[in-house]
Amino acid sequence: ATLSSDDPDMIEWALTVGRARKLAAARPRAIELLTSPSPLRDAAAGYLVALGDPGAVAALARAARFDEPPFLHTVIEAVAALGGEEARDFLEFVAGGHGDDDVRQHAREGLQRLERTTDRDAGVP
């Protein structure tokens, strides 16, 4: 109910609590909030990462604002943390084609983290 509030502070608080408790029930609302102004969208991204659901990568990629590097950095971090093939595709796209050198570098670093995590999960030393 708090996620439907008109008060952004209450929504952010609810996402923080949901994140700490890993409450999956707020997932649909968190995905909607990815298009909200910051800091709600940042809190929504953090909540989705806390759930550890690679299925949220597509929603994060759709919400990415290529003309807004600070939020794009948030999305890159979230996508790299969640992993999976969609995450790899998104990070490769950003690393190879974004106009900002810093964003491209951040995406390359995200790819490296994703690879290390994938290798570790597969038991590769």
Side-chain angles (χ1 to χ4, degrees):
T2 305
L3 289 171
S4 298
S5 171
D6 291 333
D7 182 350
D9 291 333
M10 289 299 293
I11 296 170
E12 189 174 2
W13 174 81
L15 287 168
T16 301
V17 170
R19 177 181 179 166
R21 294 181 183 172
K22 297 187 180 184
L23 301 173
R27 184 182 185 276
R29 180 68 174 132
I31 288 173
E32 290 174 13
L33 290 169
L34 290 173
T35 59
S36 297
S38 187
L40 286 181
R41 64 183 178 190
D42 296 334
Y47 167 83
L48 292 167
V49 170
L51 290 182
D53 177 11
V57 168
L60 285 157
R62 280 191 307 274
R65 298 284 314 258
F66 283 72
D67 61 339
E68 196 175 329
F71 184 58
L72 188 52
H73 280 268
T74 298
V75 171
I76 288 168
E77 290 294 321
V79 165
L82 291 171
E85 197 58 39
E86 281 182 290
R88 183 181 329 283
D89 291 346
F90 175 77
L91 293 170
E92 287 174 348
F93 176 75
V94 176
H98 196 278
D100 184 312
D101 291 339
D102 185 50
V103 171
R104 284 195 312 273
Q105 178 61 33
H106 199 74
R108 284 192 292 272
E109 291 167 2
L111 271 169
Q112 291 171 347
R113 281 191 306 280
L114 186 140
E115 293 299 330
R116 283 192 302 271
T117 301
T118 301
D119 289 347
R120 186 179 63 239
D121 291 347
V124 175

